[in-house]
Amino acid sequence: MYGLETKLWIEKKSVLGKELATILVGLGALRFGDFTLTSGRRSPYYIDLRLLPSYPSALERIADMYVAVMENEIGVSGLKVAGIPTAGLPLATAVSLRARLPLIYVRETPKLHGEMKMIEGVLSEGDEVVLIDDLATTGGSLLKAASAVRASGGHVAHAVVLIDREEGGSENLASAGIELHAVSRISDLLSWLEAVGGIPADKVDTIKEYLKEVRGK
Amino acid sequence: MSDRVPRIAEILRRRNVVKQGSYLLHLGNSSEFYVDMRTLPSYPDDFDEVTSALADLLRTGVGEFDRLVGIGDGAAPFTVAVSLKLQKPYAIVKKMEAENSFRDPLVGELHPGERVILLDDVASTGVTLACAAAMVRALGAHVDTAVVLVDRELGASKLLSTMGIGLLSVLRLSDMLNARKSS
């Protein structure tokens, strides 16, 4: 059985998940319909955090959620945070400021001139680095970032996202030795939202089917 | 303001952001100094102090505005830090560089009619700031002020003034070099 501390964290985390859902609804960041993801897969829901930069208080609150996950599931002492552009970099910056942790980031494209540097910031051999991104779907961009950090000598064992879309990211990362942490899994977030009537009635079945299908893979 | 210059200069010097060598700039210019601020966010306390200085400059020097617009990933950490300190919205425009695609030139929102302040870590020739200003104006926002941490005094102020944009900086490269000599 879990100890008290773990049980309390599980409770706290479910509260954070509900607060996150509330923030996302407030930002209009959760949309239901028919969307094509970057992978080409069609999805009945879409998370769009494009408005987050316009709401600093929401960004701050969300950064604190990342920090809570890191403190309770990883331990922040001695960590460096790595932002993954574009969406992960502002989040990682806010996390680094709230937790007073050094920030590094992965370049989107290597510098054309000079050395083909993929990492910006101070990274030394053996540094413990936690990757920060907004969402995990299949984990592709997190894996790419992990390779870049590892190629520069950093040690990567954890990645933290706001929402795990549960489309294989956790498994794909695990096979590269990286544990995926999320403030909320999409299934938890959506089932709570459904319970309070936050999902259009005609979309509920499609979304459930979709989640069942992607999680089963 | 004046008390802050030596303190910030000391941080930048300690963190080795000014490198000596021969460096190629925009417009075919070259310089014996290179200012690389990208390691600064790796030192949380120093980063906090430096971005607080930027926030103070914005609080006192630019009047009312609607949004900060940072230029490129390099400026993103600085922009986010200042946005949180001032509780002001921000957006990031992509930097005009050959390696960038411009499919999505803007991260975040920008509303027509907003007064935005451009934010970057360093101003050199001003070409990057001028391009960003043109992009922001094309999207319908007003720009009359750009704020940087370090002005290298390589023409940015003059170039931007031809666009009706004033350049404010926490310090000039000459302040840093003078501080270096005197210490």
Side-chain angles (χ1 to χ4, degrees), chain A residues 50-51 53-54 56-57 60 85-86 89-90 93 97 100-105 107 109 112 120-122, chain B residues 38-39 41-45 47-48 67 73-74 76-77 80-81 83-84 87-90 99 107-109:
Chain A
R50 211 176 323 170
L51 293 192
S54 296
S57 57
E60 206 161 64
T86 309
L89 179 52
T93 303
L97 288 165
R100 291 261 164 179
L101 295 174
L103 173 74
I104 62 171
Y105 61 95
R107 287 183 65 91
T109 44
L112 284 185
E120 294 288 0
V122 181
Chain B
R38 292 174 182 232
T39 52
S42 295
Y43 305 101
D45 292 337
F47 183 58
D48 185 51
R67 191 181 301 271
D73 285 342
V80 171
S83 157
L84 292 178
Q87 291 289 302
K88 280 281 184 190
Y90 77 89
E99 57 255 51
V107 181
E109 302 179 281

mmCIF file of all heavy atoms in Angstrom, chain A residues 50-51 53-54 56-57 60 85-86 89-90 93 97 100-105 107 109 112 120-122, chain B residues 38-39 41-45 47-48 67 73-74 76-77 80-81 83-84 87-90 99 107-109:
data_model
loop_
_atom_site.group_PDB
_atom_site.id
_atom_site.type_symbol
_atom_site.label_atom_id
_atom_site.label_comp_id
_atom_site.label_asym_id
_atom_site.label_seq_id
_atom_site.Cartn_x
_atom_site.Cartn_y
_atom_site.Cartn_z
ATOM 1 N N ARG A 50 -2.192 28.587 -27.197
ATOM 2 C CA ARG A 50 -1.695 29.795 -27.833
ATOM 3 C C ARG A 50 -2.036 31.069 -27.049
ATOM 4 O O ARG A 50 -1.359 32.072 -27.161
ATOM 5 C CB ARG A 50 -2.266 29.898 -29.252
ATOM 6 C CG ARG A 50 -1.321 30.598 -30.209
ATOM 7 C CD ARG A 50 -1.877 30.603 -31.614
ATOM 8 N NE ARG A 50 -2.589 29.362 -31.929
ATOM 9 C CZ ARG A 50 -3.327 29.185 -33.020
ATOM 10 N NH1 ARG A 50 -3.461 30.159 -33.886
ATOM 11 N NH2 ARG A 50 -3.931 28.044 -33.250
ATOM 12 N N LEU A 51 -3.110 31.005 -26.257
ATOM 13 C CA LEU A 51 -3.514 32.208 -25.525
ATOM 14 C C LEU A 51 -2.780 32.364 -24.192
ATOM 15 O O LEU A 51 -2.875 33.407 -23.556
ATOM 16 C CB LEU A 51 -5.032 32.207 -25.279
ATOM 17 C CG LEU A 51 -5.905 32.334 -26.514
ATOM 18 C CD1 LEU A 51 -7.346 32.627 -26.116
ATOM 19 C CD2 LEU A 51 -5.405 33.445 -27.434
ATOM 20 N N PRO A 53 0.300 32.959 -23.301
ATOM 21 C CA PRO A 53 1.169 34.133 -23.127
ATOM 22 C C PRO A 53 0.410 35.422 -22.812
ATOM 23 O O PRO A 53 0.994 36.368 -22.309
ATOM 24 C CB PRO A 53 1.884 34.253 -24.486
ATOM 25 C CG PRO A 53 1.841 32.882 -25.062
ATOM 26 C CD PRO A 53 0.533 32.296 -24.600
ATOM 27 N N SER A 54 -0.886 35.440 -23.109
ATOM 28 C CA SER A 54 -1.666 36.647 -22.832
ATOM 29 C C SER A 54 -2.156 36.706 -21.395
ATOM 30 O O SER A 54 -2.722 37.705 -20.976
ATOM 31 C CB SER A 54 -2.864 36.727 -23.776
ATOM 32 O OG SER A 54 -2.416 36.857 -25.105
ATOM 33 N N PRO A 56 -0.533 36.141 -17.890
ATOM 34 C CA PRO A 56 0.611 35.822 -17.025
ATOM 35 C C PRO A 56 0.221 35.118 -15.726
ATOM 36 O O PRO A 56 0.962 34.237 -15.269
ATOM 37 C CB PRO A 56 1.221 37.193 -16.720
ATOM 38 C CG PRO A 56 0.597 38.161 -17.635
ATOM 39 C CD PRO A 56 -0.611 37.557 -18.245
ATOM 40 N N SER A 57 -0.948 35.456 -15.164
ATOM 41 C CA SER A 57 -1.307 34.802 -13.898
ATOM 42 C C SER A 57 -1.596 33.322 -14.122
ATOM 43 O O SER A 57 -1.275 32.476 -13.282
ATOM 44 C CB SER A 57 -2.496 35.497 -13.244
ATOM 45 O OG SER A 57 -3.584 35.517 -14.133
ATOM 46 N N GLU A 60 1.742 31.582 -14.539
ATOM 47 C CA GLU A 60 2.387 31.426 -13.244
ATOM 48 C C GLU A 60 1.802 30.238 -12.472
ATOM 49 O O GLU A 60 2.523 29.420 -11.899
ATOM 50 C CB GLU A 60 2.145 32.711 -12.454
ATOM 51 C CG GLU A 60 3.160 33.020 -11.407
ATOM 52 C CD GLU A 60 3.066 34.491 -11.051
ATOM 53 O OE1 GLU A 60 2.018 34.930 -10.535
ATOM 54 O OE2 GLU A 60 4.043 35.202 -11.323
ATOM 55 N N PRO A 85 11.480 24.282 -27.434
ATOM 56 C CA PRO A 85 10.740 25.262 -28.227
ATOM 57 C C PRO A 85 9.676 24.581 -29.096
ATOM 58 O O PRO A 85 9.879 23.426 -29.467
ATOM 59 C CB PRO A 85 11.812 25.903 -29.116
ATOM 60 C CG PRO A 85 13.103 25.612 -28.438
ATOM 61 C CD PRO A 85 12.899 24.279 -27.772
ATOM 62 N N THR A 86 8.602 25.236 -29.424
ATOM 63 C CA THR A 86 8.381 26.608 -29.030
ATOM 64 C C THR A 86 7.600 26.665 -27.724
ATOM 65 O O THR A 86 7.926 27.465 -26.828
ATOM 66 C CB THR A 86 7.576 27.333 -30.141
ATOM 67 O OG1 THR A 86 8.227 27.116 -31.387
ATOM 68 C CG2 THR A 86 7.463 28.800 -29.894
ATOM 69 N N LEU A 89 9.423 26.244 -24.049
ATOM 70 C CA LEU A 89 10.434 27.183 -23.544
ATOM 71 C C LEU A 89 9.868 28.209 -22.548
ATOM 72 O O LEU A 89 10.439 28.385 -21.467
ATOM 73 C CB LEU A 89 11.165 27.852 -24.723
ATOM 74 C CG LEU A 89 12.237 28.880 -24.374
ATOM 75 C CD1 LEU A 89 13.248 28.341 -23.378
ATOM 76 C CD2 LEU A 89 12.940 29.374 -25.631
ATOM 77 N N PRO A 90 8.739 28.867 -22.871
ATOM 78 C CA PRO A 90 8.157 29.776 -21.867
ATOM 79 C C PRO A 90 7.775 29.056 -20.577
ATOM 80 O O PRO A 90 7.976 29.585 -19.490
ATOM 81 C CB PRO A 90 6.910 30.325 -22.554
ATOM 82 C CG PRO A 90 7.126 30.108 -24.004
ATOM 83 C CD PRO A 90 7.986 28.904 -24.139
ATOM 84 N N THR A 93 10.872 28.357 -18.656
ATOM 85 C CA THR A 93 11.367 29.607 -18.072
ATOM 86 C C THR A 93 10.609 29.929 -16.790
ATOM 87 O O THR A 93 11.218 30.244 -15.754
ATOM 88 C CB THR A 93 11.207 30.778 -19.056
ATOM 89 O OG1 THR A 93 11.896 30.477 -20.264
ATOM 90 C CG2 THR A 93 11.759 32.063 -18.478
ATOM 91 N N LEU A 97 12.100 30.041 -12.957
ATOM 92 C CA LEU A 97 11.993 31.219 -12.088
ATOM 93 C C LEU A 97 11.296 30.875 -10.776
ATOM 94 O O LEU A 97 11.719 31.313 -9.711
ATOM 95 C CB LEU A 97 11.214 32.331 -12.801
ATOM 96 C CG LEU A 97 11.942 33.042 -13.940
ATOM 97 C CD1 LEU A 97 10.957 33.846 -14.771
ATOM 98 C CD2 LEU A 97 13.035 33.954 -13.391
ATOM 99 N N ARG A 100 13.636 28.426 -8.931
ATOM 100 C CA ARG A 100 15.042 28.844 -8.889
ATOM 101 C C ARG A 100 15.973 27.749 -9.387
ATOM 102 O O ARG A 100 16.948 27.390 -8.730
ATOM 103 C CB ARG A 100 15.433 29.247 -7.461
ATOM 104 C CG ARG A 100 14.771 30.515 -7.019
ATOM 105 C CD ARG A 100 15.717 31.684 -7.167
ATOM 106 N NE ARG A 100 14.976 32.942 -7.097
ATOM 107 C CZ ARG A 100 15.522 34.133 -7.179
ATOM 108 N NH1 ARG A 100 16.810 34.267 -7.343
ATOM 109 N NH2 ARG A 100 14.801 35.216 -7.122
ATOM 110 N N LEU A 101 15.637 27.202 -10.543
ATOM 111 C CA LEU A 101 16.482 26.162 -11.140
ATOM 112 C C LEU A 101 17.091 26.695 -12.427
ATOM 113 O O LEU A 101 16.452 27.464 -13.146
ATOM 114 C CB LEU A 101 15.641 24.920 -11.443
ATOM 115 C CG LEU A 101 15.056 24.184 -10.244
ATOM 116 C CD1 LEU A 101 14.132 23.069 -10.703
ATOM 117 C CD2 LEU A 101 16.157 23.630 -9.344
ATOM 118 N N PRO A 102 18.313 26.285 -12.729
ATOM 119 C CA PRO A 102 18.955 26.728 -13.973
ATOM 120 C C PRO A 102 18.168 26.281 -15.208
ATOM 121 O O PRO A 102 17.647 25.167 -15.246
ATOM 122 C CB PRO A 102 20.312 26.032 -13.942
ATOM 123 C CG PRO A 102 20.547 25.677 -12.518
ATOM 124 C CD PRO A 102 19.196 25.407 -11.930
ATOM 125 N N LEU A 103 18.091 27.177 -16.187
ATOM 126 C CA LEU A 103 17.358 26.888 -17.424
ATOM 127 C C LEU A 103 18.335 26.651 -18.573
ATOM 128 O O LEU A 103 19.309 27.385 -18.732
ATOM 129 C CB LEU A 103 16.464 28.089 -17.770
ATOM 130 C CG LEU A 103 15.731 28.057 -19.114
ATOM 131 C CD1 LEU A 103 14.568 27.064 -19.061
ATOM 132 C CD2 LEU A 103 15.203 29.432 -19.496
ATOM 133 N N ILE A 104 18.068 25.627 -19.335
ATOM 134 C CA ILE A 104 18.746 25.459 -20.620
ATOM 135 C C ILE A 104 17.644 25.243 -21.657
ATOM 136 O O ILE A 104 16.490 25.028 -21.299
ATOM 137 C CB ILE A 104 19.744 24.272 -20.646
ATOM 138 C CG1 ILE A 104 19.021 22.940 -20.414
ATOM 139 C CG2 ILE A 104 20.836 24.471 -19.612
ATOM 140 C CD1 ILE A 104 19.905 21.724 -20.648
ATOM 141 N N TYR A 105 17.956 25.349 -22.925
ATOM 142 C CA TYR A 105 16.941 24.980 -23.896
ATOM 143 C C TYR A 105 17.532 24.368 -25.149
ATOM 144 O O TYR A 105 18.701 24.535 -25.458
ATOM 145 C CB TYR A 105 15.990 26.132 -24.210
ATOM 146 C CG TYR A 105 16.585 27.378 -24.798
ATOM 147 C CD1 TYR A 105 16.609 27.579 -26.176
ATOM 148 C CD2 TYR A 105 17.090 28.376 -23.983
ATOM 149 C CE1 TYR A 105 17.113 28.742 -26.721
ATOM 150 C CE2 TYR A 105 17.613 29.544 -24.508
ATOM 151 C CZ TYR A 105 17.619 29.723 -25.875
ATOM 152 O OH TYR A 105 18.135 30.876 -26.406
ATOM 153 N N ARG A 107 17.719 23.941 -29.049
ATOM 154 C CA ARG A 107 17.459 24.757 -30.234
ATOM 155 C C ARG A 107 16.535 24.024 -31.195
ATOM 156 O O ARG A 107 16.618 22.814 -31.339
ATOM 157 C CB ARG A 107 18.770 25.074 -30.959
ATOM 158 C CG ARG A 107 19.635 26.075 -30.250
ATOM 159 C CD ARG A 107 20.857 26.369 -31.087
ATOM 160 N NE ARG A 107 20.493 27.030 -32.331
ATOM 161 C CZ ARG A 107 20.419 28.354 -32.487
ATOM 162 N NH1 ARG A 107 20.700 29.142 -31.483
ATOM 163 N NH2 ARG A 107 20.083 28.884 -33.633
ATOM 164 N N THR A 109 16.581 24.559 -34.428
ATOM 165 C CA THR A 109 17.459 24.202 -35.538
ATOM 166 C C THR A 109 18.881 24.511 -35.078
ATOM 167 O O THR A 109 19.083 25.487 -34.377
ATOM 168 C CB THR A 109 17.156 25.068 -36.780
ATOM 169 O OG1 THR A 109 16.988 26.429 -36.333
ATOM 170 C CG2 THR A 109 15.905 24.625 -37.480
ATOM 171 N N LEU A 112 23.606 27.653 -37.938
ATOM 172 C CA LEU A 112 24.225 27.383 -39.238
ATOM 173 C C LEU A 112 25.715 27.698 -39.193
ATOM 174 O O LEU A 112 26.544 26.984 -39.731
ATOM 175 C CB LEU A 112 23.539 28.204 -40.337
ATOM 176 C CG LEU A 112 22.173 27.682 -40.788
ATOM 177 C CD1 LEU A 112 21.652 28.501 -41.947
ATOM 178 C CD2 LEU A 112 22.242 26.209 -41.180
ATOM 179 N N GLU A 120 21.320 25.489 -25.764
ATOM 180 C CA GLU A 120 21.705 26.817 -25.301
ATOM 181 C C GLU A 120 21.685 26.819 -23.782
ATOM 182 O O GLU A 120 20.789 26.239 -23.169
ATOM 183 C CB GLU A 120 20.736 27.888 -25.814
ATOM 184 C CG GLU A 120 20.745 28.087 -27.311
ATOM 185 C CD GLU A 120 21.994 28.788 -27.833
ATOM 186 O OE1 GLU A 120 22.888 29.132 -27.034
ATOM 187 O OE2 GLU A 120 22.064 28.984 -29.061
ATOM 188 N N GLY A 121 22.651 27.485 -23.181
ATOM 189 C CA GLY A 121 22.731 27.544 -21.731
ATOM 190 C C GLY A 121 23.901 26.724 -21.238
ATOM 191 O O GLY A 121 24.657 26.173 -22.033
ATOM 192 N N VAL A 122 24.038 26.661 -19.922
ATOM 193 C CA VAL A 122 25.195 25.976 -19.329
ATOM 194 C C VAL A 122 24.837 24.530 -19.015
ATOM 195 O O VAL A 122 23.981 24.251 -18.189
ATOM 196 C CB VAL A 122 25.633 26.698 -18.032
ATOM 197 C CG1 VAL A 122 26.845 25.998 -17.430
ATOM 198 C CG2 VAL A 122 25.937 28.166 -18.317
ATOM 199 N N ARG B 38 22.828 34.004 -23.857
ATOM 200 C CA ARG B 38 22.004 32.795 -23.764
ATOM 201 C C ARG B 38 22.332 31.899 -22.587
ATOM 202 O O ARG B 38 21.557 31.014 -22.247
ATOM 203 C CB ARG B 38 22.085 32.005 -25.073
ATOM 204 C CG ARG B 38 21.397 32.770 -26.180
ATOM 205 C CD ARG B 38 21.567 32.099 -27.525
ATOM 206 N NE ARG B 38 20.932 32.918 -28.532
ATOM 207 C CZ ARG B 38 20.040 32.461 -29.412
ATOM 208 N NH1 ARG B 38 19.692 31.208 -29.414
ATOM 209 N NH2 ARG B 38 19.511 33.274 -30.287
ATOM 210 N N THR B 39 23.501 32.126 -21.967
ATOM 211 C CA THR B 39 23.820 31.297 -20.795
ATOM 212 C C THR B 39 23.216 31.883 -19.521
ATOM 213 O O THR B 39 23.114 31.187 -18.515
ATOM 214 C CB THR B 39 25.345 31.189 -20.599
ATOM 215 O OG1 THR B 39 25.883 32.511 -20.586
ATOM 216 C CG2 THR B 39 25.986 30.394 -21.707
ATOM 217 N N PRO B 41 20.192 32.656 -18.382
ATOM 218 C CA PRO B 41 19.083 31.976 -17.700
ATOM 219 C C PRO B 41 19.512 30.699 -16.964
ATOM 220 O O PRO B 41 18.725 30.147 -16.189
ATOM 221 C CB PRO B 41 18.116 31.647 -18.845
ATOM 222 C CG PRO B 41 18.418 32.655 -19.902
ATOM 223 C CD PRO B 41 19.897 32.866 -19.821
ATOM 224 N N SER B 42 20.740 30.254 -17.183
ATOM 225 C CA SER B 42 21.227 29.086 -16.447
ATOM 226 C C SER B 42 21.694 29.459 -15.039
ATOM 227 O O SER B 42 22.074 28.583 -14.270
ATOM 228 C CB SER B 42 22.377 28.410 -17.197
ATOM 229 O OG SER B 42 21.924 27.880 -18.423
ATOM 230 N N TYR B 43 21.704 30.751 -14.721
ATOM 231 C CA TYR B 43 22.062 31.202 -13.371
ATOM 232 C C TYR B 43 20.844 31.902 -12.775
ATOM 233 O O TYR B 43 20.669 33.115 -12.958
ATOM 234 C CB TYR B 43 23.268 32.152 -13.430
ATOM 235 C CG TYR B 43 24.469 31.547 -14.130
ATOM 236 C CD1 TYR B 43 24.778 31.875 -15.445
ATOM 237 C CD2 TYR B 43 25.274 30.619 -13.469
ATOM 238 C CE1 TYR B 43 25.862 31.309 -16.093
ATOM 239 C CE2 TYR B 43 26.371 30.046 -14.106
ATOM 240 C CZ TYR B 43 26.662 30.397 -15.421
ATOM 241 O OH TYR B 43 27.725 29.836 -16.057
ATOM 242 N N PRO B 44 19.969 31.152 -12.090
ATOM 243 C CA PRO B 44 18.656 31.675 -11.696
ATOM 244 C C PRO B 44 18.713 32.997 -10.917
ATOM 245 O O PRO B 44 17.910 33.897 -11.197
ATOM 246 C CB PRO B 44 18.054 30.573 -10.827
ATOM 247 C CG PRO B 44 18.838 29.353 -11.144
ATOM 248 C CD PRO B 44 20.173 29.769 -11.649
ATOM 249 N N ASP B 45 19.630 33.146 -9.960
ATOM 250 C CA ASP B 45 19.655 34.374 -9.162
ATOM 251 C C ASP B 45 20.065 35.572 -10.016
ATOM 252 O O ASP B 45 19.454 36.636 -9.933
ATOM 253 C CB ASP B 45 20.590 34.221 -7.955
ATOM 254 C CG ASP B 45 20.032 33.212 -6.959
ATOM 255 O OD1 ASP B 45 18.804 32.983 -6.964
ATOM 256 O OD2 ASP B 45 20.822 32.629 -6.189
ATOM 257 N N PHE B 47 19.869 35.748 -13.267
ATOM 258 C CA PHE B 47 18.821 35.951 -14.275
ATOM 259 C C PHE B 47 17.671 36.752 -13.674
ATOM 260 O O PHE B 47 17.129 37.665 -14.304
ATOM 261 C CB PHE B 47 18.336 34.596 -14.794
ATOM 262 C CG PHE B 47 17.309 34.684 -15.880
ATOM 263 C CD1 PHE B 47 17.587 35.360 -17.060
ATOM 264 C CD2 PHE B 47 16.062 34.097 -15.736
ATOM 265 C CE1 PHE B 47 16.637 35.448 -18.070
ATOM 266 C CE2 PHE B 47 15.110 34.175 -16.736
ATOM 267 C CZ PHE B 47 15.405 34.858 -17.897
ATOM 268 N N ASP B 48 17.329 36.434 -12.436
ATOM 269 C CA ASP B 48 16.265 37.143 -11.741
ATOM 270 C C ASP B 48 16.627 38.625 -11.578
ATOM 271 O O ASP B 48 15.805 39.504 -11.830
ATOM 272 C CB ASP B 48 16.034 36.485 -10.377
ATOM 273 C CG ASP B 48 14.848 37.090 -9.654
ATOM 274 O OD1 ASP B 48 13.774 37.166 -10.277
ATOM 275 O OD2 ASP B 48 14.997 37.499 -8.493
ATOM 276 N N ARG B 67 1.463 45.014 -24.389
ATOM 277 C CA ARG B 67 2.087 43.698 -24.539
ATOM 278 C C ARG B 67 3.582 43.836 -24.788
ATOM 279 O O ARG B 67 4.038 44.787 -25.426
ATOM 280 C CB ARG B 67 1.439 42.987 -25.743
ATOM 281 C CG ARG B 67 1.785 41.514 -25.873
ATOM 282 C CD ARG B 67 1.117 40.914 -27.109
ATOM 283 N NE ARG B 67 -0.335 41.038 -27.067
ATOM 284 C CZ ARG B 67 -1.142 40.130 -26.513
ATOM 285 N NH1 ARG B 67 -0.661 39.045 -25.993
ATOM 286 N NH2 ARG B 67 -2.446 40.325 -26.513
ATOM 287 N N ASP B 73 13.758 32.834 -29.919
ATOM 288 C CA ASP B 73 13.895 31.968 -28.751
ATOM 289 C C ASP B 73 14.896 32.542 -27.746
ATOM 290 O O ASP B 73 14.734 32.387 -26.548
ATOM 291 C CB ASP B 73 14.372 30.569 -29.169
ATOM 292 C CG ASP B 73 13.246 29.751 -29.810
ATOM 293 O OD1 ASP B 73 12.069 30.119 -29.618
ATOM 294 O OD2 ASP B 73 13.556 28.753 -30.485
ATOM 295 N N GLY B 74 15.926 33.206 -28.252
ATOM 296 C CA GLY B 74 16.944 33.777 -27.369
ATOM 297 C C GLY B 74 16.358 34.775 -26.392
ATOM 298 O O GLY B 74 16.762 34.843 -25.238
ATOM 299 N N ALA B 76 13.153 34.796 -25.544
ATOM 300 C CA ALA B 76 11.952 34.254 -24.891
ATOM 301 C C ALA B 76 12.078 34.177 -23.365
ATOM 302 O O ALA B 76 11.188 34.653 -22.659
ATOM 303 C CB ALA B 76 11.583 32.906 -25.493
ATOM 304 N N PRO B 77 13.178 33.619 -22.826
ATOM 305 C CA PRO B 77 13.266 33.565 -21.360
ATOM 306 C C PRO B 77 13.207 34.955 -20.715
ATOM 307 O O PRO B 77 12.534 35.141 -19.701
ATOM 308 C CB PRO B 77 14.623 32.901 -21.100
ATOM 309 C CG PRO B 77 14.889 32.097 -22.331
ATOM 310 C CD PRO B 77 14.305 32.907 -23.455
ATOM 311 N N VAL B 80 9.531 36.235 -20.983
ATOM 312 C CA VAL B 80 8.632 35.551 -20.045
ATOM 313 C C VAL B 80 8.885 36.050 -18.622
ATOM 314 O O VAL B 80 7.947 36.333 -17.868
ATOM 315 C CB VAL B 80 8.817 34.015 -20.125
ATOM 316 C CG1 VAL B 80 8.052 33.315 -19.021
ATOM 317 C CG2 VAL B 80 8.362 33.498 -21.490
ATOM 318 N N ALA B 81 10.154 36.198 -18.258
ATOM 319 C CA ALA B 81 10.488 36.657 -16.906
ATOM 320 C C ALA B 81 9.906 38.044 -16.648
ATOM 321 O O ALA B 81 9.285 38.290 -15.612
ATOM 322 C CB ALA B 81 12.003 36.663 -16.709
ATOM 323 N N SER B 83 7.450 39.484 -18.303
ATOM 324 C CA SER B 83 5.992 39.369 -18.361
ATOM 325 C C SER B 83 5.433 38.951 -16.995
ATOM 326 O O SER B 83 4.445 39.509 -16.519
ATOM 327 C CB SER B 83 5.595 38.362 -19.440
ATOM 328 O OG SER B 83 4.316 37.815 -19.206
ATOM 329 N N LEU B 84 6.085 37.989 -16.357
ATOM 330 C CA LEU B 84 5.612 37.530 -15.050
ATOM 331 C C LEU B 84 5.827 38.605 -13.985
ATOM 332 O O LEU B 84 4.977 38.817 -13.127
ATOM 333 C CB LEU B 84 6.325 36.231 -14.639
ATOM 334 C CG LEU B 84 5.985 34.994 -15.473
ATOM 335 C CD1 LEU B 84 6.778 33.785 -14.996
ATOM 336 C CD2 LEU B 84 4.489 34.677 -15.413
ATOM 337 N N GLN B 87 3.305 41.230 -14.818
ATOM 338 C CA GLN B 87 1.966 40.684 -15.086
ATOM 339 C C GLN B 87 1.368 41.313 -16.358
ATOM 340 O O GLN B 87 0.225 41.769 -16.377
ATOM 341 C CB GLN B 87 1.053 40.880 -13.873
ATOM 342 C CG GLN B 87 1.454 40.021 -12.670
ATOM 343 C CD GLN B 87 1.158 38.532 -12.879
ATOM 344 O OE1 GLN B 87 0.027 38.132 -13.125
ATOM 345 N NE2 GLN B 87 2.190 37.684 -12.795
ATOM 346 N N LYS B 88 2.194 41.326 -17.395
ATOM 347 C CA LYS B 88 1.781 41.858 -18.694
ATOM 348 C C LYS B 88 1.814 40.730 -19.721
ATOM 349 O O LYS B 88 2.729 39.901 -19.705
ATOM 350 C CB LYS B 88 2.778 42.929 -19.155
ATOM 351 C CG LYS B 88 2.561 44.276 -18.520
ATOM 352 C CD LYS B 88 1.420 45.002 -19.209
ATOM 353 C CE LYS B 88 1.273 46.398 -18.639
ATOM 354 N NZ LYS B 88 0.042 47.043 -19.108
ATOM 355 N N PRO B 89 0.854 40.713 -20.653
ATOM 356 C CA PRO B 89 0.879 39.718 -21.724
ATOM 357 C C PRO B 89 2.155 39.827 -22.570
ATOM 358 O O PRO B 89 2.755 40.901 -22.645
ATOM 359 C CB PRO B 89 -0.331 40.079 -22.583
ATOM 360 C CG PRO B 89 -1.211 40.878 -21.700
ATOM 361 C CD PRO B 89 -0.312 41.596 -20.739
ATOM 362 N N TYR B 90 2.540 38.719 -23.172
ATOM 363 C CA TYR B 90 3.682 38.764 -24.079
ATOM 364 C C TYR B 90 3.364 37.970 -25.338
ATOM 365 O O TYR B 90 2.398 37.211 -25.391
ATOM 366 C CB TYR B 90 4.960 38.222 -23.413
ATOM 367 C CG TYR B 90 5.005 36.714 -23.316
ATOM 368 C CD1 TYR B 90 5.547 35.944 -24.359
ATOM 369 C CD2 TYR B 90 4.491 36.049 -22.214
ATOM 370 C CE1 TYR B 90 5.580 34.559 -24.279
ATOM 371 C CE2 TYR B 90 4.513 34.668 -22.129
ATOM 372 C CZ TYR B 90 5.056 33.925 -23.174
ATOM 373 O OH TYR B 90 5.072 32.561 -23.114
ATOM 374 N N GLU B 99 17.703 30.035 -41.068
ATOM 375 C CA GLU B 99 17.329 28.686 -40.652
ATOM 376 C C GLU B 99 15.896 28.591 -40.113
ATOM 377 O O GLU B 99 15.422 27.520 -39.817
ATOM 378 C CB GLU B 99 18.336 28.110 -39.641
ATOM 379 C CG GLU B 99 18.543 28.932 -38.401
ATOM 380 C CD GLU B 99 19.860 29.686 -38.415
ATOM 381 O OE1 GLU B 99 20.141 30.380 -39.415
ATOM 382 O OE2 GLU B 99 20.617 29.598 -37.460
ATOM 383 N N VAL B 107 4.329 33.629 -31.828
ATOM 384 C CA VAL B 107 3.846 32.731 -30.784
ATOM 385 C C VAL B 107 3.070 33.583 -29.792
ATOM 386 O O VAL B 107 3.627 34.496 -29.192
ATOM 387 C CB VAL B 107 5.005 32.019 -30.060
ATOM 388 C CG1 VAL B 107 4.467 31.070 -29.003
ATOM 389 C CG2 VAL B 107 5.872 31.276 -31.056
ATOM 390 N N GLY B 108 1.798 33.305 -29.643
ATOM 391 C CA GLY B 108 0.948 34.120 -28.785
ATOM 392 C C GLY B 108 0.050 34.976 -29.651
ATOM 393 O O GLY B 108 -0.058 34.761 -30.850
ATOM 394 N N GLU B 109 -0.587 35.947 -29.030
ATOM 395 C CA GLU B 109 -1.530 36.797 -29.754
ATOM 396 C C GLU B 109 -0.956 38.186 -29.959
ATOM 397 O O GLU B 109 -0.067 38.607 -29.229
ATOM 398 C CB GLU B 109 -2.783 37.038 -28.919
ATOM 399 C CG GLU B 109 -3.569 35.886 -28.477
ATOM 400 C CD GLU B 109 -4.731 36.417 -27.649
ATOM 401 O OE1 GLU B 109 -4.543 36.747 -26.468
ATOM 402 O OE2 GLU B 109 -5.827 36.517 -28.217
#
